[in-house]
Amino acid sequence: MNHFRPVELHHASRLVNHGPTVLVTAAHGERRNIMAAAWSMPVEFTPPRIAVVIDKSTYTRELITASGGFGIIVPGAALMDLTYAVGSASGRDMDKFAHHGIAAGAGPVLGMPTLEQGCAAWLECRWIEEAHTENAYDTFFGEVVAAAADARIFANGHWNFTEENAGLHTLHHLGAGKFVVAGNQQQAALPAAK
C-alpha cells in the first residue's frame, strides 16, 4: 500500500521546516526587538555564516538594517510559550523584552541582545547586505562574530540531548503554533574503516 499523498504547495516548505526555531534579536540605539523565526540555516563554515528569513514588515528587520547586526538565539523547550508569544506580536507595539520579563545580555562584539536563561545557544551576527535576496526572498545573511552555548547540551562541537537537559532541547516549529521538541538522539551506523 502506498501511503504517500499529494501535499498542497503552500504547505510544501513544512516538509523541510523542522530545523530549530530561533529567536532573532536586534537593537539600534534605545530600540530593541525579539521575534521568532522558523527558517534559518548555516550557509558557510569558514567564516561561519548563516541565513534567516525576516519578513519585510517586521520591526526586527528595520533594526537590523539600521544597526548592521542581529542575534540568533536557540531557545530550549522550556521557552516554547515565550517563543510563540514573541513571534505573535509586533515590537512596534510594545517592548517585548519588558512585556515578557526577558532578561537579555549584550553580545560581546556588536552588543546585540543575547539570551541565556532557558536557551541552548546564541550567535551574534554582523549583517551581510544582499539586496536581491532580502528584497526577493526576505532572506538575510550574517557572519557569526561571537557564539556561546550551554555546555549541558552543546559541548566540544556536538549536541548532546539527554533526559537531564530536556528543558534545553531545541524547538522545531511545524506551523500553526505547533512545535516538536528534539531529544530522541540516535547514532547512525558508521561504515567500517578501510
Side-chain angles (χ1 to χ4, degrees):
M1 171 180 231
N2 184 339
H3 295 282
F4 272 66
R5 301 293 179 265
V7 172
E8 295 178 38
L9 293 182
H10 69 276
H11 290 301
S13 64
R14 290 183 180 175
L15 298 174
V16 295
N17 183 34
H18 52 276
T21 297
V22 298
L23 300 173
V24 181
T25 63
H28 182 67
E30 297 299 313
R31 302 180 305 155
R32 62 185 180 170
N33 197 38
I34 183 170
M35 63 171 269
W39 297 352
S40 66
M41 66 179 184
V43 294
E44 189 71 48
F45 290 113
T46 307
R49 293 183 180 142
I50 60 157
V52 61
V53 174
I54 304 171
D55 189 86
K56 290 171 187 63
S57 66
T58 65
Y59 185 52
T60 301
R61 184 167 170 156
E62 181 181 317
L63 295 176
I64 291 169
T65 59
S67 69
F70 57 95
I72 297 290
I73 314 300
V74 182
L79 296 185
M80 183 184 307
D81 292 340
L82 177 69
T83 299
Y84 187 70
V86 300
S88 301
S90 173
R92 284 190 182 89
D93 302 329
M94 70 175 93
D95 179 339
K96 290 190 257 184
F97 290 91
H99 181 80
H100 295 289
I102 301 169
V109 178
L110 304 173
M112 291 297 116
T114 58
L115 281 65
E116 293 184 352
Q117 184 68 34
C119 296
W122 58 258
L123 302 90
E124 188 176 30
C125 303
R126 181 174 289 115
W127 172 42
I128 301 169
E129 189 173 355
E130 291 288 342
H132 174 71
T133 59
E134 292 162 14
N135 293 326
Y137 308 110
D138 290 331
T139 302
F140 273 63
F141 292 95
E143 181 175 339
V144 180
V145 295
D150 189 315
R152 294 174 294 176
I153 194 161
F154 188 90
N156 301 316
H158 298 283
W159 290 100
N160 185 30
F161 295 94
T162 67
E163 289 181 23
E164 291 77 30
N165 62 24
L168 296 173
H169 290 191
T170 55
L171 293 170
H172 304 265
H173 191 242
L174 302 177
K178 295 180 182 178
F179 292 88
V180 67
V181 177
N184 187 3
Q185 185 170 314
Q186 299 180 12
Q187 177 69 45
L190 302 176
K194 294 183 180 183

